[in-house]
Amino acid sequence: MLTIKVQLLSRESANLNPRRPLLSFTRYTPSKVSRGQVEVEDGVNDEACELVNGIELSIGEGAESIGAYLFKAVKNNNGTGILLLSDIFGFEDSSTRDFAYRVACNGYNVLVPDLFRGDPWEKDRPKPLFEEWLAKQTLQRVSNDITMCTKWMMDEFVAAGISKKLGIIGFCFGGGRVIDMLAHDQGVCFGIGVSFYGTRIDPSVAASVTVPVLFIAGDNDPLCPVSALEEIEKSSKKGLTKVLVFKGQGHGFAHRPQSPEEDGDAEKAFMVMRNWLYDGLVLGK
């Protein structure tokens, strides 16, 4: 396990709360496409982030279809697809879309599906209702939706010969589903994964993952205990699992930082993730 405490870093080139309209839209024949504008906050200054295409689409048919956003790098697009699984606040949450936009700025094609079928958890809902809401998000249904989105991405990026394997990223609820998906996939579609403070992870399931996984968490997060990640790291095949722990940080710090201290650690976490994906997906082509 790698434990890191970093000093506050400059965020001039890493503002995670921009508001920038995406500049163009593309129609994909395998899915129904809405041409509505996908917005994120403006202010991302990464040199590679000159243009990102955004598209709102529907994957699947009829009652089984789900909504999604696709962010595509225009400049320096490396042809690689990444599936990004949101936290409980859903695919339309600004923090999730900001993060997806920034990943796309680094050359990727990022799909963010609606894991909750139009019913994400809302911050103003009474907390006693949370478990009732969560029970409706059955893991089987969510898994089926993720599989459907994976097939769509395979058709778009892998079958076309653009990319050999996909990457997968998830936060919180989505971070736990990253592990479920990788264990089920067994390296067929996905070549690498990143789980940010994943919740409800079954260690026995995690032990069957066959591709490299980066776990990022804080040591002050009761929803994703570091001890559980340490056990997963010990039981994984040698070299496949890496655990990065940020001292003093709690749940959600990497994609929705709330303080200057969290800003610095969020920037560090993003850079580690970026290198992890690049080494495993781009250099490994």
Side-chain angles (χ1 to χ4, degrees):
M1 180 185 68
L2 177 61
T3 301
I4 288 184
K5 177 62 181 176
V6 297
Q7 295 179 344
L8 179 63
L9 303 177
S10 169
R11 298 297 307 286
E12 292 179 358
S13 64
N15 182 2
L16 293 181
N17 288 305
R19 189 160 201 83
R20 173 177 299 183
L22 302 187
L23 300 179
S24 62
F25 296 85
T26 307
R27 178 174 293 276
Y28 288 85
T29 55
S31 301
K32 300 174 182 177
V33 176
S34 168
R35 290 179 175 267
Q37 199 174 47
V38 179
E39 293 186 352
V40 294
E41 310 266 337
D42 202 5
V44 176
N45 296 319
D46 293 354
E47 290 183 3
C49 192
E50 291 189 358
L51 183 63
V52 171
N53 286 351
I55 180 172
E56 182 178 357
L57 50 82
S58 177
I59 296 176
E61 296 294 336
E64 296 304 313
S65 67
I66 64 170
Y69 291 133
L70 178 66
F71 298 84
K72 296 186 67 177
V74 173
K75 180 180 179 181
N76 299 327
N77 192 308
N78 58 39
T80 304
I82 292 180
L83 184 62
L84 193 154
L85 308 180
S86 73
D87 60 16
I88 60 175
F89 300 111
F91 80 133
E92 293 184 313
D93 177 76
S94 62
S95 294
T96 295
R97 285 199 283 177
D98 293 346
F99 196 96
Y101 182 89
R102 192 176 179 208
V103 174
C105 286
N106 283 271
Y108 296 98
N109 306 284
V110 184
L111 184 72
V112 188
D114 178 10
L115 297 181
F116 307 111
R117 291 182 169 264
D119 183 31
W121 179 252
E122 297 174 357
K123 296 175 183 178
D124 59 354
R125 286 188 185 181
K127 290 184 178 179
L129 298 179
F130 178 75
E131 291 299 329
E132 178 183 345
W133 169 84
L134 189 61
K136 296 178 181 178
Q137 317 304 327
T138 64
L139 293 184
Q140 186 59 58
R141 194 271 302 160
V142 172
S143 176
N144 291 342
D145 287 350
I146 294 172
T147 298
M148 182 167 58
C149 291
T150 300
K151 182 181 183 303
W152 185 89
M153 295 194 77
M154 289 291 289
D155 291 342
E156 290 294 320
F157 301 110
V158 178
I162 300 174
S163 175
K164 290 184 178 179
K165 292 290 178 69
L166 304 172
I168 185 169
I169 304 170
F171 309 112
C172 184
F173 177 88
R177 306 299 65 78
V178 163
I179 305 307
D180 293 344
M181 188 62 203
L182 291 179
H184 173 75
D185 180 64
Q186 291 293 294
V188 174
C189 300
F190 295 100
I192 201 166
V194 182
S195 175
F196 285 90
Y197 25 80
T199 59
R200 301 174 188 254
I201 297 176
D202 184 336
S204 64
V205 172
S208 65
V209 172
T210 59
V211 299
V213 182
L214 172 65
F215 290 91
I216 296 177
D219 66 355
N220 191 29
D221 184 356
L223 298 178
C224 180
V226 171
S227 59
L229 299 183
E230 291 174 341
E231 290 302 314
I232 291 173
E233 187 177 31
K234 290 177 182 178
S235 64
S236 69
K237 295 180 180 179
K238 186 176 181 181
L240 283 184
T241 298
K242 293 188 181 299
V243 177
L244 178 63
V245 178
F246 288 85
K247 288 187 175 181
Q249 296 296 359
H251 201 67
F253 76 92
H255 75 299
R256 50 178 80 251
Q258 303 294 319
S259 69
E261 291 74 21
E262 289 190 354
D263 278 351
D265 282 356
E267 172 69 0
K268 181 64 176 180
F270 187 92
M271 294 306 172
V272 173
M273 177 208 69
R274 185 179 69 175
N275 293 339
W276 179 263
L277 293 174
Y278 183 81
D279 290 346
L281 289 175
V282 181
L283 291 184
K285 281 187 178 181

